[in-house]
Protein backbone atom coordinates (compact mmCIF):
# COMPACT_ATOMS: atom_id res chain seq x y z
CA UNK A 1 0.00 0.00 0.00
CA UNK A 2 0.88 3.67 -0.09
CA UNK A 3 3.21 5.05 2.55
CA UNK A 4 5.03 8.27 3.47
CA UNK A 5 8.31 8.46 5.37
CA UNK A 6 9.49 11.69 6.97
CA UNK A 7 12.75 12.52 8.63
CA UNK A 8 12.77 11.97 12.35
CA UNK A 9 12.43 14.98 14.56
CA UNK A 10 12.61 17.08 16.50
CA UNK A 11 14.53 19.62 14.46
CA UNK A 12 15.91 22.70 16.21
CA UNK A 13 17.28 25.63 14.21
CA UNK A 14 18.35 29.19 14.84
CA UNK A 15 16.40 32.01 13.24
CA UNK A 16 17.41 32.66 9.60
CA UNK A 17 18.85 29.16 9.18
CA UNK A 18 18.09 27.03 6.12
CA UNK A 19 15.47 24.33 6.59
CA UNK A 20 15.09 20.97 4.89
CA UNK A 21 12.61 18.34 6.00
CA UNK A 22 12.92 15.14 4.00
CA UNK A 23 9.91 13.24 2.73
CA UNK A 24 9.85 10.12 0.57
CA UNK A 25 6.87 8.13 -0.54
CA UNK A 26 5.78 4.78 -1.89
CA UNK A 27 2.83 4.64 -4.25
CA UNK A 28 1.67 2.42 -7.07
CA UNK A 29 0.71 5.22 -9.45
CA UNK A 30 1.03 8.98 -9.66
CA UNK A 31 -0.03 10.54 -6.39
CA UNK A 32 -0.68 14.13 -5.47
CA UNK A 33 1.63 15.31 -2.69
CA UNK A 34 0.96 17.74 0.14
CA UNK A 35 2.67 19.45 3.05
CA UNK A 36 0.53 20.38 6.03
CA UNK A 37 1.57 22.45 9.05
CA UNK A 38 0.15 22.23 12.57
CA UNK A 39 0.80 25.16 14.92
CA UNK A 40 0.55 24.52 18.67
CA UNK A 41 -3.01 23.87 19.78
CA UNK A 42 -4.45 24.03 16.28
CA UNK A 43 -5.56 21.71 13.50
CA UNK A 44 -3.65 21.07 10.29
CA UNK A 45 -3.38 23.73 7.59
CA UNK A 46 -2.47 23.05 4.00
CA UNK A 47 0.95 24.59 3.34
CA UNK A 48 1.53 23.61 -0.28
CA UNK A 49 0.84 20.88 -2.81
CA UNK A 50 2.08 19.42 -6.10
CA UNK A 51 0.08 17.21 -8.38
CA UNK A 52 2.51 15.93 -10.99
CA UNK A 53 6.20 15.22 -11.50
CA UNK A 54 8.52 18.26 -11.47
CA UNK A 55 5.77 20.52 -10.09
CA UNK A 56 6.99 22.93 -7.41
CA UNK A 57 4.58 23.90 -4.67
CA UNK A 58 5.32 27.10 -2.75
CA UNK A 59 3.75 29.19 0.00
CA UNK A 60 4.99 31.55 2.75
CA UNK A 61 8.61 31.08 1.64
CA UNK A 62 8.38 27.27 1.79
CA UNK A 63 8.97 25.18 -1.33
CA UNK A 64 8.84 21.53 -2.30
CA UNK A 65 9.44 19.87 -5.67
CA UNK A 66 7.76 16.63 -6.75
CA UNK A 67 10.63 14.32 -7.74
CA UNK A 68 9.28 11.18 -9.33
CA UNK A 69 12.69 9.66 -10.00
CA UNK A 70 13.61 9.75 -6.32
CA UNK A 71 10.00 9.50 -5.02
CA UNK A 72 10.64 12.52 -2.83
CA UNK A 73 8.94 15.78 -1.85
CA UNK A 74 11.38 17.53 0.48
CA UNK A 75 10.27 20.74 2.19
CA UNK A 76 12.69 23.69 2.15
CA UNK A 77 12.83 27.25 3.38
CA UNK A 78 15.75 29.59 2.95
CA UNK A 79 15.44 31.52 6.20
CA UNK A 80 13.24 30.27 9.02
CA UNK A 81 11.54 32.44 11.61
CA UNK A 82 10.47 31.76 15.18
CA UNK A 83 6.88 31.80 13.94
CA UNK A 84 7.63 28.75 11.76
CA UNK A 85 7.88 26.57 14.86
CA UNK A 86 5.27 23.86 14.30
CA UNK A 87 4.79 20.23 13.30
CA UNK A 88 5.05 19.55 9.57
CA UNK A 89 3.31 16.61 7.89
CA UNK A 90 3.96 15.21 4.43
CA UNK A 91 0.99 13.43 2.83
CA UNK A 92 -0.12 11.82 -0.42
CA UNK A 93 -3.37 11.02 -2.16
CA UNK A 94 -3.59 8.70 -5.11
CA UNK A 95 -6.07 8.08 -7.91
CA UNK A 96 -9.67 7.97 -6.82
CA UNK A 97 -8.73 7.51 -3.17
CA UNK A 98 -10.44 10.06 -1.00
CA UNK A 99 -8.23 9.74 2.03
CA UNK A 100 -4.73 11.02 2.65
CA UNK A 101 -1.77 8.93 3.72
CA UNK A 102 0.28 10.92 6.23
CA UNK A 103 3.85 10.76 7.38
CA UNK A 104 4.50 10.74 11.12
CA UNK A 105 5.22 14.47 11.31
CA UNK A 106 8.37 16.47 12.07
CA UNK A 107 8.50 18.88 14.99
CA UNK A 108 10.40 22.08 14.12
CA UNK A 109 11.56 24.53 16.78
CA UNK A 110 13.17 27.81 15.73
CA UNK A 111 15.15 29.67 18.38
CA UNK A 112 15.65 33.46 18.33
CA UNK B 1 -11.96 30.24 3.00
CA UNK B 2 -13.18 26.84 4.04
CA UNK B 3 -14.34 26.70 7.62
CA UNK B 4 -14.43 23.40 9.49
CA UNK B 5 -15.79 23.81 13.00
CA UNK B 6 -15.50 21.25 15.76
CA UNK B 7 -17.97 21.72 18.57
CA UNK B 8 -15.51 21.52 21.48
CA UNK B 9 -11.80 22.28 21.87
CA UNK B 10 -11.53 20.37 25.15
CA UNK B 11 -13.78 17.65 26.53
CA UNK B 12 -13.57 15.50 29.65
CA UNK B 13 -15.74 12.40 29.96
CA UNK B 14 -15.89 9.29 32.13
CA UNK B 15 -15.27 5.66 31.24
CA UNK B 16 -18.37 4.01 29.84
CA UNK B 17 -20.08 7.21 28.75
CA UNK B 18 -21.42 7.64 25.22
CA UNK B 19 -19.55 10.58 23.69
CA UNK B 20 -20.49 12.67 20.66
CA UNK B 21 -17.98 14.79 18.74
CA UNK B 22 -19.54 17.13 16.20
CA UNK B 23 -18.04 18.65 13.07
CA UNK B 24 -19.59 21.15 10.65
CA UNK B 25 -18.20 22.47 7.37
CA UNK B 26 -19.50 25.41 5.37
CA UNK B 27 -18.24 24.63 1.85
CA UNK B 28 -20.71 22.02 0.67
CA UNK B 29 -17.95 19.40 0.59
CA UNK B 30 -18.97 15.84 -0.19
CA UNK B 31 -16.19 14.10 1.73
CA UNK B 32 -15.65 14.31 5.49
CA UNK B 33 -13.16 12.54 7.74
CA UNK B 34 -12.40 11.80 11.39
CA UNK B 35 -8.81 11.24 12.54
CA UNK B 36 -7.17 10.76 15.88
CA UNK B 37 -3.70 12.11 16.56
CA UNK B 38 -1.42 10.56 19.14
CA UNK B 39 2.25 11.30 19.94
CA UNK B 40 4.55 9.11 17.88
CA UNK B 41 1.69 7.66 15.83
CA UNK B 42 0.81 10.63 13.64
CA UNK B 43 -2.70 10.86 12.23
CA UNK B 44 -4.81 7.75 11.91
CA UNK B 45 -8.07 7.64 9.99
CA UNK B 46 -11.06 6.42 12.01
CA UNK B 47 -13.95 6.81 9.55
CA UNK B 48 -14.80 8.82 6.51
CA UNK B 49 -17.96 9.70 4.66
CA UNK B 50 -18.03 10.35 0.95
CA UNK B 51 -21.63 11.64 0.93
CA UNK B 52 -24.73 11.96 3.06
CA UNK B 53 -25.59 8.73 4.86
CA UNK B 54 -22.51 7.05 3.33
CA UNK B 55 -19.59 5.95 5.47
CA UNK B 56 -16.50 3.80 5.26
CA UNK B 57 -14.19 2.45 7.93
CA UNK B 58 -10.71 3.81 8.12
CA UNK B 59 -7.69 2.21 9.74
CA UNK B 60 -8.90 2.18 13.35
CA UNK B 61 -12.73 2.08 13.50
CA UNK B 62 -13.05 -0.19 16.54
CA UNK B 63 -14.96 1.44 19.38
CA UNK B 64 -16.28 4.25 17.18
CA UNK B 65 -19.26 4.92 14.94
CA UNK B 66 -20.26 7.88 12.80
CA UNK B 67 -23.35 9.63 11.56
CA UNK B 68 -23.84 11.84 8.48
CA UNK B 69 -27.48 12.84 8.22
CA UNK B 70 -26.79 16.21 6.59
CA UNK B 71 -24.08 17.14 4.15
CA UNK B 72 -22.49 19.77 6.37
CA UNK B 73 -22.34 17.72 9.57
CA UNK B 74 -20.31 14.63 10.46
CA UNK B 75 -20.50 13.20 13.97
CA UNK B 76 -18.11 10.80 15.66
CA UNK B 77 -19.57 8.64 18.40
CA UNK B 78 -17.68 6.77 21.09
CA UNK B 79 -20.20 4.10 22.04
CA UNK B 80 -18.68 3.35 25.46
CA UNK B 81 -15.67 5.55 26.15
CA UNK B 82 -12.49 3.96 27.40
CA UNK B 83 -9.25 5.49 28.66
CA UNK B 84 -7.36 4.40 25.54
CA UNK B 85 -9.58 6.74 23.54
CA UNK B 86 -8.01 9.74 25.23
CA UNK B 87 -6.59 11.62 22.25
CA UNK B 88 -6.76 14.63 19.94
CA UNK B 89 -9.56 14.18 17.40
CA UNK B 90 -9.41 16.03 14.08
CA UNK B 91 -12.21 16.47 11.56
CA UNK B 92 -11.56 17.31 7.91
CA UNK B 93 -13.57 17.93 4.77
CA UNK B 94 -12.77 17.82 1.09
CA UNK B 95 -14.40 18.54 -2.22
CA UNK B 96 -14.97 15.32 -4.19
CA UNK B 97 -14.50 15.77 -7.91
CA UNK B 98 -13.07 12.28 -8.20
CA UNK B 99 -9.46 13.40 -8.38
CA UNK B 100 -6.68 13.07 -5.85
CA UNK B 101 -5.42 16.66 -5.92
CA UNK B 102 -8.17 18.15 -3.76
CA UNK B 103 -6.72 18.93 -0.33
CA UNK B 104 -8.41 18.21 2.96
CA UNK B 105 -9.35 21.13 5.21
CA UNK B 106 -9.09 20.57 8.96
CA UNK B 107 -10.82 21.83 12.06
CA UNK B 108 -8.89 22.94 15.14
CA UNK B 109 -9.33 19.60 16.88
CA UNK B 110 -10.99 18.35 20.06
CA UNK B 111 -8.74 17.22 22.87
CA UNK B 112 -10.71 14.48 24.59
CA UNK B 113 -9.80 13.06 27.98
CA UNK B 114 -11.49 9.93 29.30
CA UNK B 115 -11.16 9.50 33.05
Amino acid sequence: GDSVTQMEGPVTLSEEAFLTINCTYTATGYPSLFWYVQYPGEGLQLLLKATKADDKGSNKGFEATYRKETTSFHLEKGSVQVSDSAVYFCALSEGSARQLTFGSGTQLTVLP
Amino acid sequence: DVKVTQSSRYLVKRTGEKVFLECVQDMDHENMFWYRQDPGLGLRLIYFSYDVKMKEKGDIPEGYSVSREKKERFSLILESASTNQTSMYLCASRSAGGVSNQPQHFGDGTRLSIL
Side-chain angles (χ1 to χ4, degrees):
Chain A
D2 296 347
S3 66
V4 176
T5 303
Q6 285 182 239
M7 66 185 289
E8 293 285 328
V11 174
T12 302
L13 296 173
S14 297
E15 207 165 22
E16 299 184 1
F18 184 85
L19 169 71
T20 299
I21 300 177
N22 289 339
C23 171
T24 57
Y25 68 88
T26 302
T28 53
Y30 301 95
S32 294
L33 302 172
F34 305 86
W35 276 102
Y36 283 84
V37 58
Q38 184 178 34
Y39 298 104
E42 297 183 11
L44 277 70
Q45 300 175 23
L46 177 67
L47 183 58
L48 52 84
K49 71 175 187 180
T51 58
K52 60 183 187 296
D54 299 326
D55 266 2
K56 178 185 282 188
S58 61
N59 187 26
K60 299 181 181 179
F62 290 89
E63 294 183 340
T65 301
Y66 188 140
R67 301 286 188 198
K68 187 172 179 297
E69 63 277 10
T70 54
T71 62
S72 65
F73 192 54
H74 304 322
L75 183 68
E76 296 181 337
K77 187 175 186 183
S79 176
V80 294
Q81 305 300 311
V82 173
S83 57
D84 294 326
S85 297
V87 181
Y88 292 82
F89 291 91
C90 185
L92 71 80
S93 180
E94 184 172 21
S96 61
R98 300 174 180 92
Q99 62 266 47
L100 289 168
T101 300
F102 284 93
S104 57
T106 302
Q107 171 78 56
L108 169 67
T109 301
V110 180
L111 302 176
Chain B
D1 276 356
V2 177
K3 184 70 175 174
V4 179
T5 303
Q6 295 184 230
S7 54
S8 304
R9 293 297 302 273
Y10 302 93
L11 205 53
V12 180
K13 296 290 182 181
R14 296 207 174 272
T15 304
E17 281 192 66
K18 191 169 186 175
V19 181
F20 293 84
L21 302 183
E22 305 287 345
C23 175
V24 176
Q25 51 94 1
D26 66 355
M27 285 302 293
D28 204 36
H29 284 168
E30 291 82 4
N31 303 161
M32 296 187 75
F33 307 81
W34 275 106
Y35 296 87
R36 64 177 284 176
Q37 183 179 15
D38 300 288
L41 297 177
L43 275 78
R44 292 180 292 168
L45 181 65
I46 305 171
Y47 266 97
F48 68 98
S49 168
Y50 47 90
D51 211 335
V52 177
K53 296 189 185 294
M54 311 298 271
K55 61 185 179 184
E56 286 193 24
K57 294 179 180 179
D59 300 320
I60 51 164
E62 296 78 18
Y64 302 95
S65 63
V66 290
S67 173
R68 184 112 180 258
E69 296 296 318
K70 294 185 177 181
K71 194 172 187 178
E72 67 270 20
R73 185 179 298 270
F74 191 36
S75 303
L76 179 70
I77 303 157
L78 285 65
E79 297 291 344
S80 178
S82 64
T83 55
N84 64 9
Q85 292 178 309
T86 291
S87 186
M88 169 73 94
Y89 289 87
L90 292 167
C91 175
S93 73
R94 171 186 177 274
S95 174
V99 293
S100 64
N101 62 4
Q102 297 296 326
Q104 291 185 16
H105 302 269
F106 285 81
D108 284 338
T110 296
R111 188 166 292 283
L112 175 64
S113 296
I114 307 296
L115 305 179

